[in-house]
Amino acid sequence: VMRMLLGKNVDLEVSNKKGRTALSFAAAPSNNGAVVRPTPGATLRLLLESGAKTQHKDVTGVTAKERAVREKRDDAIEIFEELDS
């Protein structure tokens, strides 16, 4: 689905009312506090390789990578570092 959307030139920087983009959600999926959702590494990698802006900050002033660090998403941090993002 992601490849299809990217093929249609979707805007990667669209955000929700909290300023979170697809990259932010891929780096650190939201949860209800009871269940920690797995990090969608393939989606995160695809978004980064497709040019998603890593410096975009949400309304709290946090980037996707900073959110991954804050939430101890080591797998996401590895992908950011591997792709030098």
Side-chain angles (χ1 to χ4, degrees):
V1 172
M2 284 295 301
R3 290 188 191 286
M4 180 193 70
L5 290 170
L6 291 169
K8 299 287 184 183
N9 296 316
V10 296
D11 183 355
L12 296 177
E13 304 313 313
V14 170
S15 63
N16 69 5
K17 64 183 178 183
K18 294 181 180 180
R20 292 194 66 191
T21 62
L23 183 64
S24 176
F25 282 107
S30 59
N31 63 65
N32 63 8
V35 176
V36 177
R37 294 183 178 142
T39 304
T43 299
L44 176 59
R45 181 180 303 281
L46 184 58
L47 287 166
L48 289 169
E49 289 172 345
S50 297
K53 294 181 182 172
T54 58
Q55 297 308 311
H56 175 88
K57 295 182 179 186
D58 64 22
V59 296
T60 66
V62 176
T63 66
K65 184 176 181 180
E66 291 167 341
R67 184 172 291 279
V69 169
R70 179 188 295 174
E71 296 185 16
K72 298 178 175 70
R73 298 282 185 154
D74 294 337
D75 45 356
I77 296 164
E78 266 185 48
I79 293 169
F80 277 108
E81 291 176 356
E82 176 188 330
L83 297 176
D84 198 29
S85 299

CSV table of all heavy atoms in Angstrom, one decimal, residues 1-46:
chain,number,residue,atom,x,y,z
A,1,VAL,N,0.8,-1.2,0.0
A,1,VAL,CA,0.0,0.0,0.0
A,1,VAL,C,0.9,1.3,0.0
A,1,VAL,O,0.6,2.2,-0.7
A,1,VAL,CB,-1.0,0.0,1.2
A,1,VAL,CG1,-1.7,1.3,1.3
A,1,VAL,CG2,-1.9,-1.1,1.1
A,2,MET,N,2.0,1.2,0.8
A,2,MET,CA,2.8,2.4,0.8
A,2,MET,C,3.5,2.7,-0.5
A,2,MET,O,3.5,3.8,-1.0
A,2,MET,CB,4.0,2.2,1.9
A,2,MET,CG,3.6,2.3,3.3
A,2,MET,SD,3.1,4.0,3.7
A,2,MET,CE,4.5,4.9,3.3
A,3,ARG,N,3.9,1.6,-1.2
A,3,ARG,CA,4.5,1.9,-2.5
A,3,ARG,C,3.5,2.4,-3.5
A,3,ARG,O,3.8,3.3,-4.3
A,3,ARG,CB,5.1,0.6,-3.1
A,3,ARG,CG,6.3,0.1,-2.3
A,3,ARG,CD,7.0,-1.1,-3.0
A,3,ARG,NE,8.0,-1.6,-2.1
A,3,ARG,CZ,9.2,-1.1,-1.9
A,3,ARG,NH1,9.5,0.1,-2.4
A,3,ARG,NH2,10.1,-1.7,-1.1
A,4,MET,N,2.2,2.0,-3.4
A,4,MET,CA,1.2,2.5,-4.3
A,4,MET,C,1.0,4.0,-4.0
A,4,MET,O,0.9,4.8,-4.9
A,4,MET,CB,-0.1,1.7,-4.1
A,4,MET,CG,-1.3,2.2,-5.0
A,4,MET,SD,-2.9,1.6,-4.5
A,4,MET,CE,-3.1,2.5,-3.0
A,5,LEU,N,0.9,4.3,-2.7
A,5,LEU,CA,0.7,5.7,-2.4
A,5,LEU,C,1.8,6.6,-2.8
A,5,LEU,O,1.6,7.7,-3.4
A,5,LEU,CB,0.4,5.9,-0.9
A,5,LEU,CG,-0.9,5.3,-0.3
A,5,LEU,CD1,-0.9,5.3,1.2
A,5,LEU,CD2,-2.0,6.1,-0.8
A,6,LEU,N,3.0,6.1,-2.6
A,6,LEU,CA,4.2,6.8,-3.0
A,6,LEU,C,4.2,7.0,-4.6
A,6,LEU,O,4.7,8.0,-5.1
A,6,LEU,CB,5.5,6.2,-2.5
A,6,LEU,CG,5.7,6.2,-1.0
A,6,LEU,CD1,6.8,5.3,-0.6
A,6,LEU,CD2,5.9,7.7,-0.6
A,7,GLY,N,3.8,6.0,-5.3
A,7,GLY,CA,3.7,6.1,-6.7
A,7,GLY,C,2.7,7.1,-7.2
A,7,GLY,O,2.8,7.6,-8.3
A,8,LYS,N,1.7,7.5,-6.3
A,8,LYS,CA,0.8,8.5,-6.6
A,8,LYS,C,1.2,9.9,-6.1
A,8,LYS,O,0.5,10.8,-6.2
A,8,LYS,CB,-0.6,8.2,-6.0
A,8,LYS,CG,-1.2,6.9,-6.5
A,8,LYS,CD,-1.7,7.0,-7.8
A,8,LYS,CE,-2.4,5.7,-8.3
A,8,LYS,NZ,-2.9,5.8,-9.6
A,9,ASN,N,2.5,10.0,-5.7
A,9,ASN,CA,3.1,11.2,-5.2
A,9,ASN,C,2.3,11.9,-4.1
A,9,ASN,O,2.1,13.1,-4.1
A,9,ASN,CB,3.2,12.2,-6.4
A,9,ASN,CG,4.2,11.7,-7.5
A,9,ASN,OD1,5.2,11.1,-7.1
A,9,ASN,ND2,3.8,11.8,-8.7
A,10,VAL,N,2.0,11.1,-3.1
A,10,VAL,CA,1.3,11.6,-1.9
A,10,VAL,C,2.3,12.6,-1.2
A,10,VAL,O,3.5,12.5,-1.3
A,10,VAL,CB,0.9,10.5,-0.9
A,10,VAL,CG1,-0.2,9.6,-1.6
A,10,VAL,CG2,2.0,9.7,-0.4
A,11,ASP,N,1.7,13.5,-0.5
A,11,ASP,CA,2.5,14.4,0.3
A,11,ASP,C,2.9,13.8,1.6
A,11,ASP,O,2.1,13.5,2.5
A,11,ASP,CB,1.6,15.7,0.6
A,11,ASP,CG,2.4,16.7,1.4
A,11,ASP,OD1,3.5,16.5,1.8
A,11,ASP,OD2,1.8,17.8,1.6
A,12,LEU,N,4.2,13.5,1.7
A,12,LEU,CA,4.8,12.8,2.9
A,12,LEU,C,4.7,13.7,4.2
A,12,LEU,O,4.9,13.2,5.2
A,12,LEU,CB,6.2,12.4,2.6
A,12,LEU,CG,6.4,11.3,1.5
A,12,LEU,CD1,7.9,11.1,1.3
A,12,LEU,CD2,5.7,10.1,1.8
A,13,GLU,N,4.5,15.0,4.0
A,13,GLU,CA,4.5,15.9,5.1
A,13,GLU,C,3.2,16.2,5.7
A,13,GLU,O,3.1,17.0,6.6
A,13,GLU,CB,5.3,17.1,4.8
A,13,GLU,CG,6.7,16.8,4.2
A,13,GLU,CD,7.5,15.9,5.1
A,13,GLU,OE1,7.6,16.0,6.3
A,13,GLU,OE2,8.1,14.9,4.5
A,14,VAL,N,2.1,15.6,5.2
A,14,VAL,CA,0.8,15.8,5.8
A,14,VAL,C,0.9,15.3,7.2
A,14,VAL,O,1.4,14.3,7.6
A,14,VAL,CB,-0.3,15.0,5.0
A,14,VAL,CG1,-1.6,15.0,5.7
A,14,VAL,CG2,-0.4,15.6,3.6
A,15,SER,N,0.3,16.1,8.1
A,15,SER,CA,0.3,15.8,9.5
A,15,SER,C,-1.1,15.8,10.2
A,15,SER,O,-2.0,16.5,9.6
A,15,SER,CB,1.2,16.7,10.3
A,15,SER,OG,0.8,18.0,10.2
A,16,ASN,N,-1.2,15.2,11.3
A,16,ASN,CA,-2.5,15.2,12.0
A,16,ASN,C,-2.5,16.5,12.9
A,16,ASN,O,-1.6,17.3,12.9
A,16,ASN,CB,-2.7,14.0,12.8
A,16,ASN,CG,-1.7,13.8,14.0
A,16,ASN,OD1,-0.9,14.7,14.3
A,16,ASN,ND2,-1.8,12.7,14.7
A,17,LYS,N,-3.5,16.7,13.7
A,17,LYS,CA,-3.7,17.9,14.5
A,17,LYS,C,-2.5,18.0,15.6
A,17,LYS,O,-2.3,19.1,16.1
A,17,LYS,CB,-5.0,18.0,15.2
A,17,LYS,CG,-5.3,16.9,16.2
A,17,LYS,CD,-6.7,17.0,16.8
A,17,LYS,CE,-6.9,15.9,17.8
A,17,LYS,NZ,-8.3,15.9,18.3
A,18,LYS,N,-1.8,17.0,15.8
A,18,LYS,CA,-0.7,17.0,16.8
A,18,LYS,C,0.6,17.2,16.0
A,18,LYS,O,1.7,17.2,16.6
A,18,LYS,CB,-0.7,15.8,17.6
A,18,LYS,CG,-1.8,15.7,18.6
A,18,LYS,CD,-1.7,14.4,19.4
A,18,LYS,CE,-2.9,14.3,20.3
A,18,LYS,NZ,-2.9,13.1,21.2
A,19,GLY,N,0.5,17.4,14.7
A,19,GLY,CA,1.7,17.6,13.9
A,19,GLY,C,2.5,16.4,13.6
A,19,GLY,O,3.6,16.5,13.1
A,20,ARG,N,2.0,15.2,13.8
A,20,ARG,CA,2.7,14.0,13.5
A,20,ARG,C,2.4,13.5,12.1
A,20,ARG,O,1.3,13.5,11.6
A,20,ARG,CB,2.3,12.9,14.5
A,20,ARG,CG,2.7,13.2,15.9
A,20,ARG,CD,2.6,12.0,16.8
A,20,ARG,NE,3.5,10.9,16.4
A,20,ARG,CZ,3.5,9.7,16.9
A,20,ARG,NH1,2.6,9.4,17.8
A,20,ARG,NH2,4.4,8.8,16.5
A,21,THR,N,3.5,13.2,11.4
A,21,THR,CA,3.5,12.7,10.0
A,21,THR,C,3.6,11.2,10.0
A,21,THR,O,3.8,10.6,11.0
A,21,THR,CB,4.7,13.3,9.3
A,21,THR,OG1,5.9,12.8,9.9
A,21,THR,CG2,4.7,14.8,9.3
A,22,ALA,N,3.5,10.7,8.8
A,22,ALA,CA,3.7,9.2,8.6
A,22,ALA,C,5.0,8.8,9.2
A,22,ALA,O,5.1,7.7,9.8
A,22,ALA,CB,3.5,8.8,7.2
A,23,LEU,N,6.0,9.6,9.0
A,23,LEU,CA,7.4,9.2,9.5
A,23,LEU,C,7.4,9.1,11.0
A,23,LEU,O,8.0,8.2,11.6
A,23,LEU,CB,8.4,10.3,9.0
A,23,LEU,CG,9.9,10.0,9.4
A,23,LEU,CD1,10.3,8.7,8.7
A,23,LEU,CD2,10.7,11.1,9.0
A,24,SER,N,6.7,10.1,11.6
A,24,SER,CA,6.6,10.0,13.1
A,24,SER,C,5.9,8.8,13.6
A,24,SER,O,6.4,8.1,14.5
A,24,SER,CB,5.9,11.3,13.6
A,24,SER,OG,5.8,11.2,15.0
A,25,PHE,N,4.8,8.4,13.0
A,25,PHE,CA,4.1,7.2,13.4
A,25,PHE,C,4.9,6.0,13.1
A,25,PHE,O,4.8,5.0,13.8
A,25,PHE,CB,2.7,7.2,12.7
A,25,PHE,CG,1.7,8.1,13.4
A,25,PHE,CD1,1.3,9.2,12.8
A,25,PHE,CD2,1.2,7.8,14.7
A,25,PHE,CE1,0.4,10.1,13.4
A,25,PHE,CE2,0.3,8.6,15.3
A,25,PHE,CZ,-0.1,9.8,14.7
A,26,ALA,N,5.6,5.9,12.0
A,26,ALA,CA,6.5,4.8,11.6
A,26,ALA,C,7.6,4.6,12.6
A,26,ALA,O,8.0,3.5,13.0
A,26,ALA,CB,7.0,4.9,10.2
A,27,ALA,N,8.2,5.8,13.1
A,27,ALA,CA,9.3,5.7,14.0
A,27,ALA,C,8.9,5.3,15.4
A,27,ALA,O,9.6,4.6,16.1
A,27,ALA,CB,10.0,7.1,14.1
A,28,ALA,N,7.7,5.7,15.8
A,28,ALA,CA,7.1,5.4,17.1
A,28,ALA,C,5.6,5.4,17.1
A,28,ALA,O,5.0,6.4,17.3
A,28,ALA,CB,7.6,6.5,18.1
A,29,PRO,N,5.1,4.2,16.7
A,29,PRO,CA,3.6,4.1,16.6
A,29,PRO,C,2.9,4.5,17.9
A,29,PRO,O,3.4,4.2,19.0
A,29,PRO,CB,3.4,2.6,16.3
A,29,PRO,CG,4.7,2.1,15.8
A,29,PRO,CD,5.7,3.0,16.4
A,30,SER,N,1.8,5.1,17.8
A,30,SER,CA,1.0,5.5,19.0
A,30,SER,C,0.5,4.2,19.7
A,30,SER,O,0.3,3.2,19.0
A,30,SER,CB,-0.1,6.5,18.7
A,30,SER,OG,-1.0,5.9,17.7
A,31,ASN,N,0.2,4.3,20.9
A,31,ASN,CA,-0.4,3.2,21.6
A,31,ASN,C,-1.3,3.7,22.8
A,31,ASN,O,-1.3,4.9,23.1
A,31,ASN,CB,0.7,2.2,22.2
A,31,ASN,CG,1.6,2.9,23.2
A,31,ASN,OD1,1.2,3.3,24.3
A,31,ASN,ND2,2.9,3.1,22.9
A,32,ASN,N,-2.0,2.8,23.4
A,32,ASN,CA,-2.9,3.2,24.4
A,32,ASN,C,-2.3,3.0,25.8
A,32,ASN,O,-3.0,3.1,26.8
A,32,ASN,CB,-4.2,2.4,24.3
A,32,ASN,CG,-4.0,0.9,24.5
A,32,ASN,OD1,-2.9,0.5,24.9
A,32,ASN,ND2,-5.0,0.1,24.3
A,33,GLY,N,-1.0,2.8,25.9
A,33,GLY,CA,-0.3,2.6,27.1
A,33,GLY,C,-0.3,1.2,27.6
A,33,GLY,O,0.5,0.8,28.4
A,34,ALA,N,-1.2,0.4,27.1
A,34,ALA,CA,-1.3,-1.0,27.6
A,34,ALA,C,-0.5,-2.0,26.6
A,34,ALA,O,0.1,-2.9,27.0
A,34,ALA,CB,-2.7,-1.5,27.7
A,35,VAL,N,-0.6,-1.7,25.3
A,35,VAL,CA,0.0,-2.5,24.3
A,35,VAL,C,1.0,-1.7,23.5
A,35,VAL,O,0.6,-0.6,22.9
A,35,VAL,CB,-1.1,-3.1,23.3
A,35,VAL,CG1,-0.5,-3.9,22.2
A,35,VAL,CG2,-2.1,-3.9,24.1
A,36,VAL,N,2.2,-2.1,23.4
A,36,VAL,CA,3.2,-1.4,22.6
A,36,VAL,C,3.2,-2.0,21.2
A,36,VAL,O,3.4,-3.2,21.0
A,36,VAL,CB,4.6,-1.6,23.2
A,36,VAL,CG1,5.7,-0.9,22.4
A,36,VAL,CG2,4.6,-1.0,24.6
A,37,ARG,N,2.8,-1.2,20.3
A,37,ARG,CA,2.8,-1.7,18.9
A,37,ARG,C,4.2,-1.9,18.3
A,37,ARG,O,5.1,-1.0,18.6
A,37,ARG,CB,2.0,-0.7,18.0
A,37,ARG,CG,0.6,-0.7,18.4
A,37,ARG,CD,-0.2,0.3,17.5
A,37,ARG,NE,-1.6,0.3,17.8
A,37,ARG,CZ,-2.4,1.3,17.8
A,37,ARG,NH1,-1.9,2.5,17.5
A,37,ARG,NH2,-3.6,1.3,18.2
A,38,PRO,N,4.4,-2.9,17.5
A,38,PRO,CA,5.8,-3.0,16.9
A,38,PRO,C,6.1,-1.9,16.0
A,38,PRO,O,5.2,-1.3,15.4
A,38,PRO,CB,5.7,-4.4,16.2
A,38,PRO,CG,4.2,-4.6,15.9
A,38,PRO,CD,3.5,-3.9,17.0
A,39,THR,N,7.4,-1.6,15.8
A,39,THR,CA,7.8,-0.6,14.9
A,39,THR,C,7.8,-1.2,13.5
A,39,THR,O,8.4,-2.2,13.2
A,39,THR,CB,9.3,-0.2,15.2
A,39,THR,OG1,9.4,0.2,16.6
A,39,THR,CG2,9.8,0.9,14.3
A,40,PRO,N,7.1,-0.5,12.6
A,40,PRO,CA,7.1,-1.0,11.2
A,40,PRO,C,8.3,-0.6,10.4
A,40,PRO,O,8.4,0.4,9.7
A,40,PRO,CB,5.8,-0.3,10.6
A,40,PRO,CG,5.7,1.0,11.4
A,40,PRO,CD,6.2,0.7,12.8
A,41,GLY,N,9.4,-1.3,10.6
A,41,GLY,CA,10.7,-1.0,10.1
A,41,GLY,C,10.7,-0.8,8.6
A,41,GLY,O,11.4,0.1,8.1
A,42,ALA,N,10.1,-1.7,7.9
A,42,ALA,CA,10.1,-1.6,6.4
A,42,ALA,C,9.4,-0.3,6.0
A,42,ALA,O,9.9,0.4,5.0
A,42,ALA,CB,9.4,-2.8,5.8
A,43,THR,N,8.3,0.1,6.6
A,43,THR,CA,7.7,1.4,6.3
A,43,THR,C,8.5,2.6,6.7
A,43,THR,O,8.7,3.5,5.9
A,43,THR,CB,6.3,1.5,7.1
A,43,THR,OG1,5.5,0.4,6.7
A,43,THR,CG2,5.6,2.8,6.8
A,44,LEU,N,9.2,2.5,7.8
A,44,LEU,CA,10.1,3.6,8.2
A,44,LEU,C,11.2,3.8,7.2
A,44,LEU,O,11.5,4.9,6.7
A,44,LEU,CB,10.7,3.3,9.6
A,44,LEU,CG,11.7,4.3,10.1
A,44,LEU,CD1,11.1,5.7,10.2
A,44,LEU,CD2,12.2,3.9,11.5
A,45,ARG,N,11.8,2.7,6.8
A,45,ARG,CA,12.9,2.7,5.8
A,45,ARG,C,12.4,3.3,4.5
A,45,ARG,O,13.0,4.1,3.9
A,45,ARG,CB,13.4,1.3,5.6
A,45,ARG,CG,14.6,1.2,4.6
A,45,ARG,CD,15.0,-0.3,4.5
A,45,ARG,NE,15.4,-0.8,5.8
A,45,ARG,CZ,16.6,-0.6,6.4
A,45,ARG,NH1,17.5,0.2,5.8
A,45,ARG,NH2,16.9,-1.1,7.5
A,46,LEU,N,11.2,2.8,4.0
A,46,LEU,CA,10.7,3.3,2.7
A,46,LEU,C,10.4,4.8,2.8
A,46,LEU,O,10.7,5.5,1.8
A,46,LEU,CB,9.4,2.5,2.4
A,46,LEU,CG,8.7,2.8,1.1
A,46,LEU,CD1,9.7,2.6,-0.1
A,46,LEU,CD2,7.5,2.0,0.9
